[in-house]
Amino acid sequence: MAAEREHIAFLYGRLDAERAAAAGELSGVLAHGSTETTEDLWQREVAANAASGRISRLKVADSGLCFGRLDGGDEGPLYVGRIGLFDEEDDYRPLLTDWRAPVARPFYTATAANPEGVTRRRHFRTRERRVLDFHDDVLDHGVADGDEVLLAALNAPRADTMGDIVATIQAEQDEIIRLGQTGVVVIDGGPGTGKTVVALHRVAYLLYAHRERMSRRGVLIIGPNTGFLRYIGDVLPSLGETDAVFATPGELHVGLETSVADGSAARRVKGGLAMVDVLKAAVADRQELPETPIEIELDDVTVEIDAEVAARARARARASGVRHNQARPTFRDALILDLAEQAIDRIGGDWLDAREVPELAGDLRADVRSELARSRALSVAVNRLWPRLTPYGLLVELYGSPERLAAACDGILPPEDRDALHREAGSDWTVSDVPLLDESLELIGPLTREDTVAERQRRAERRYARGVLEILDTEEDPDEETLRAVDLIDVERLAERQEERDHRTLAERAAADREWTYGHVVVDEAQELSEMDWRVVMRRCPSRSMTIVGDLAQRESPAGARTWARMLESYVPGRWTYRQLTINYRMPSEIMDVAGQVLSTMDPSLQAPKSVRSSGVQPWAHHCDPAALAATVAELATAEALDEGTLAVIAPEGLPLDVGHPVVTPREAKGLEYDVVIIVEPQRILAAEPSGPADLYVALTRATQRLGVVHTEPLPTELSGLRRPDVPTT
């Protein structure tokens, strides 16, 4: 113990030395005042950013710097930790090996049956910088007892946020984390199998193994709700990775954040792939033909836009292959060409003779077209027949107009589904609207050709660059024979440098740009995403480098996934990898047995994950009078609360409870875990349509230590075996 404490103290000393060196490097860069050239300024910022990033990575290693040791190699013991440390004076000999390095893999995968050259694996238990104790797995004698460290971690009180598992990664988890390919990987697993934390560690591993490619574009992590994202938000920073954007499905369209849910019917319809055709039809419906001719008065003649003229212009605009707003000039130009010929035909007289002279005919056409281009009446007609559209305006007018809905849904949706889309103007935007807004923008395009975040940013960077070069050139002595600034660097190159010097973090830049594409995407609770949601996700990651996490048994959305193949095959046919986690690390067997009863009634073919531990504490149920429900829940929650750890009350939607403890719905609890859970009125949760059984299964699988149920009506059959506790009641 004394030797290990001394060695780990030495490692902390090296960590402090590296941190001090990085801080000194940053101070030196910032103190350097040379601003002779733009190149100097750029290089200074690059060096400062590199030093700042190094300091950030070193900070995360302060807690649990070294958590393991492997014996059996030819070069002596191998210490494993959060980051790598090297002896620069001894040919960069490794002092501490990063947990993601290939040589560290046996720490997670070696067994007595397959020791992988390891004779002993040592697990350190630390607090801050002090080694409290350690536990050894002796592998060269055919015996290994690695459960002690894992069980200690599983039995420890939960915090308000998820922690990393670098010290206790299990072999089946490590295999998924280190999958070499950067394509689509599906991690399927029941509650408590660690699929979320495995996905986050996989991101950390990919950023370690493919940093040059992936770090430039960042990582998008999609979770079911903001509470879940707060819960998992510390995992990647604790592993030294900060270039991640966190978002819920209601935040995937830039400029909108919503958590409002539609009713079941609207969610199902809006999530279906048929909505792509509905939106296409809705856009086409806005490309109108006049019922009666529209007169355009010119100086010498009046011309008319009738249905035939408008149809020819519409056909030409649609044939251009560009989106609605970008095709508008083509529509307008086609009208001008057609109306100009109509005007010439109607003028008659001397003008007809002029048509026989090519030069005069050309001048005549040019004059008429110029007059049409300036015509206010023509602009009004174009606005009516081919209006500028925004995604929000398109959907508001579609949802609010039975006539437009009927036209857009004709032959695509049945009447009952069409009616599910109708709503009054002024209604809140919902989570299910987000992919429809995004799809609409794909169809109609920005209002102008240059109206995108990325293009506006590029224009600003070019303006800045042009101004810098003008200033530098005006400061030069015109009488001296010297190179000008523009001889060294042009506007475009300097603009690119300016983009690299954007002071916003990668996450801030990505979150503000709808056209940003990510190096990797993680989708958690992926079984809830609809077909329309997946179209948005795929646009955000053209490389199709994704980690998809879910459990089909927990699906509550009527538009969610029923099979992974149905959602993925059209995007990555035959090119996605499936892995399943089957071991339950969260819940003791006593709780999992109860949840398994609900699971078997949902689908007898589904298998509950197998728990690795037993707590000896049986889940309980308590019946009370409806008038005393809140008081009873409050009293039982206080009695069940542990000295350390977390507790939550899970209640059905719409049941107000003031019990002095956090109260969440099953949907809000999804993906979270608590030491103690008390479920209120499970019969109401189960009866909710259409996802009652899945919601109850989610509620039953949130507890890591103790589970109780309080009810005023008879328990569902699946819970009838719960014990009745001898506890005080109101």
Side-chain angles (χ1 to χ4, degrees):
M1 177 65 75
E4 296 292 24
R5 284 176 173 166
E6 181 180 353
H7 185 74
I8 291 180
F10 162 74
L11 293 176
Y12 271 110
R14 293 304 297 254
L15 175 68
D16 291 340
E18 289 205 15
R19 190 180 296 166
E25 180 182 340
L26 178 60
S27 297
V29 170
L30 297 178
H32 181 62
S34 175
T35 57
E36 294 181 359
T37 68
T38 303
E39 188 78 11
D40 290 337
L41 288 172
W42 175 71
Q43 290 181 352
R44 177 184 174 189
E45 288 205 24
V46 169
N49 290 339
S52 297
R54 187 178 166 202
I55 291 171
S56 298
R57 287 191 292 273
L58 292 170
K59 280 183 179 179
V60 304
D62 222 26
S63 177
L65 172 65
C66 176
F67 51 77
R69 165 180 158 172
L70 293 174
D71 292 357
D74 295 335
E75 299 181 0
L78 178 76
Y79 286 86
V80 180
R82 291 180 174 275
I83 63 171
L85 294 174
F86 303 89
D87 188 344
E88 297 179 7
E89 297 178 357
D90 187 9
D91 199 24
Y92 282 87
R93 177 176 60 88
L95 303 173
L96 181 66
T97 299
D98 192 299
W99 67 275
R100 294 166 287 195
V103 71
R105 184 167 188 172
F107 184 78
Y108 303 109
T109 60
T111 65
N114 181 25
E116 301 185 40
V118 176
T119 58
R120 177 175 61 183
R121 174 173 49 212
R122 174 164 289 175
H123 305 264
F124 296 111
R125 189 166 70 89
T126 62
R127 180 176 298 154
E128 296 179 347
R129 293 191 169 202
R130 180 175 175 79
V131 179
L132 301 180
D133 56 35
F134 59 76
H135 167 75
D136 284 347
D137 301 331
V138 181
L139 303 180
D140 59 351
H141 296 153
V143 177
D145 180 15
D147 288 342
E148 182 175 322
V149 174
L150 175 63
L151 292 176
L154 297 179
N155 286 318
R158 264 39 183 184
D160 291 333
T161 58
M162 178 183 282
D164 65 65
I165 59 169
V166 290
T168 58
I169 292 172
Q170 300 301 291
E172 71 166 358
Q173 298 171 327
D174 185 78
E175 188 270 334
I176 297 172
I177 290 170
R178 297 175 191 266
L179 279 173
Q181 64 267 38
T182 56
V184 175
V185 174
V186 175
I187 306 177
D188 193 339
T193 53
K195 53 189 180 292
T196 294
V197 74
V198 167
L200 295 174
H201 284 67
R202 173 167 167 75
V203 168
Y205 171 76
L206 291 174
L207 286 167
Y208 173 85
H210 307 279
R211 183 169 298 280
E212 179 64 24
R213 179 176 63 82
M214 289 185 59
S215 62
R216 291 196 303 268
R217 304 306 302 173
V219 175
L220 172 63
I221 298 175
I222 302 171
N225 53 61
T226 55
F228 172 83
L229 295 178
R230 283 194 299 269
Y231 179 64
I232 69 171
D234 289 342
V235 175
L236 282 177
S238 75
L239 299 173
E241 307 298 348
T242 57
D243 291 336
V245 174
F246 293 82
T248 67
E251 298 170 335
L252 291 180
H253 184 76
V254 172
L256 176 65
E257 296 180 10
T258 180
S259 59
V260 179
D262 276 304
S264 177
R267 290 178 73 186
R268 175 182 56 79
V269 176
K270 290 180 180 180
L273 210 55
M275 286 303 300
V276 175
D277 292 330
V278 170
L279 293 174
K280 288 179 179 178
V283 173
D285 184 52
R286 303 304 304 274
Q287 299 164 357
E288 299 179 5
L289 303 178
E291 294 182 359
T292 58
I294 301 173
E295 293 186 347
I296 308 295
E297 292 188 8
L298 302 177
D299 289 343
D300 299 312
V301 69
T302 296
V303 292
E304 294 181 341
I305 304 175
D306 58 18
E308 184 178 351
V309 169
R312 286 196 294 268
R314 184 174 69 176
R316 182 173 297 182
R318 288 177 174 177
S320 68
V322 298
R323 294 181 287 184
H324 172 89
N325 286 334
Q326 281 63 61
R328 177 182 157 95
T330 302
F331 176 78
R332 181 173 179 272
D333 291 346
L335 285 180
I336 289 175
L337 290 175
D338 205 323
L339 293 176
E341 294 303 316
Q342 185 184 132
I344 293 173
D345 287 340
R346 291 186 178 184
I347 289 174
D350 295 336
W351 288 111
L352 288 178
D353 296 334
R355 295 184 64 181
E356 299 176 0
V357 182
E359 294 80 4
L360 294 178
D363 291 342
L364 175 59
R365 286 191 179 88
D367 290 342
V368 174
R369 291 173 185 174
S370 177
E371 187 178 354
L372 283 166
R374 298 190 306 271
S375 169
R376 171 67 178 167
L378 180 65
S379 296
V380 171
V382 171
N383 287 337
R384 171 184 162 187
L385 301 177
W386 198 285
R388 292 186 177 92
L389 296 178
T390 67
Y392 298 96
L394 178 71
L395 288 188
V396 165
E397 295 185 17
L398 176 66
Y399 291 155
S401 169
E403 293 78 16
R404 291 199 184 278
L405 272 175
C409 298
D410 184 34
I412 302 172
L413 295 179
E416 60 271 21
D417 287 356
R418 178 195 64 204
D419 294 342
L421 295 175
H422 176 70
R423 73 180 187 205
E424 298 300 325
S427 301
D428 291 332
W429 293 106
T430 69
V431 175
S432 299
D433 288 327
V434 168
L436 304 187
L437 290 167
D438 205 71
E439 190 73 32
S440 297
L441 187 55
E442 284 293 301
L443 295 172
I444 65 178
L447 283 175
T448 66
R449 191 170 300 161
E450 298 183 336
D451 189 20
T452 66
V453 172
E455 184 58 32
R456 289 197 300 271
Q457 180 70 16
R458 283 191 289 270
R459 291 200 306 272
E461 287 157 0
R462 285 194 290 269
R463 285 195 301 270
Y464 169 85
R466 190 174 293 107
V468 169
L469 293 179
E470 289 173 356
I471 292 172
L472 291 176
D473 283 340
T474 56
E475 291 176 350
E476 306 252 354
D477 187 343
D479 296 328
E480 293 186 10
E481 292 186 5
T482 182
L483 288 174
R484 298 180 304 155
V486 293
D487 296 324
L488 299 174
I489 186 169
D490 60 20
V491 169
E492 291 299 326
R493 186 179 172 202
L494 185 55
E496 291 174 3
R497 294 282 178 85
Q498 176 64 11
E499 181 180 0
E500 294 172 0
R501 294 173 55 199
D502 191 330
H503 292 288
R504 295 175 299 168
T505 66
L506 182 145
E508 289 172 335
R509 284 184 284 133
D513 186 354
R514 186 253 175 193
E515 296 183 345
W516 187 278
T517 56
Y518 292 88
H520 192 76
V521 172
V522 176
V523 184
D524 209 317
E525 301 294 346
Q527 73 277 355
E528 304 300 344
L529 268 62
S530 69
E531 293 174 313
M532 293 302 296
D533 288 323
W534 281 111
R535 290 176 65 85
V536 179
V537 173
M538 293 297 171
R539 288 188 199 110
R540 301 299 185 267
C541 191
S543 68
R544 304 294 192 261
S545 178
M546 299 183 181
T547 301
I548 295 170
V549 182
D551 177 13
L552 297 177
Q554 295 186 60
R555 178 183 61 82
E556 71 79 28
S557 171
R562 286 169 171 77
T563 69
W564 298 120
R566 178 177 175 182
M567 288 299 185
L568 297 175
E569 274 297 314
S570 61
Y571 300 106
V572 283
R575 295 186 289 110
W576 52 282
T577 301
Y578 176 84
R579 289 292 186 273
Q580 186 175 30
L581 294 171
T582 59
I583 299 174
N584 171 21
Y585 299 101
R586 177 195 300 151
M587 290 154 290
S589 57
E590 292 84 355
I591 296 177
M592 195 65 240
D593 289 345
V594 176
Q597 293 296 316
V598 175
L599 184 63
S600 64
T601 61
M602 292 168 55
D603 186 343
S605 67
L606 296 174
Q607 294 292 320
K610 182 179 179 180
S611 297
V612 299
R613 64 190 173 102
S614 171
S615 67
V617 179
Q618 293 292 331
W620 52 263
H622 179 81
H623 180 269
C624 73
D625 186 88
L629 179 62
T632 301
V633 172
E635 189 169 353
L636 290 172
T638 300
E640 287 289 301
L642 303 175
D643 292 336
E644 293 184 63
T646 57
L647 179 147
V649 175
I650 301 180
E653 296 269 3
L655 178 62
L657 282 177
D658 183 5
V659 296
H661 296 277
V663 179
V664 294
T665 65
R667 185 179 301 173
E668 292 167 338
K670 184 167 286 189
L672 307 182
E673 59 181 28
Y674 309 91
D675 291 280
V676 180
V677 167
I678 294 180
I679 300 174
V680 181
E681 303 288 35
Q683 68 283 355
R684 286 182 54 177
I685 295 175
L686 184 63
E689 293 290 345
S691 59
D695 288 343
L696 183 56
Y697 182 60
V698 168
L700 289 167
T701 54
R702 300 304 100 195
T704 67
Q705 303 292 342
R706 299 181 183 180
L707 174 68
V709 170
V710 180
H711 59 107
T712 62
E713 301 174 16
L715 282 176
T717 304
E718 296 85 349
L719 304 182
S720 59
L722 294 177
R723 72 178 179 90
R724 305 288 169 170
D726 182 15
V727 294
T729 61
T730 300

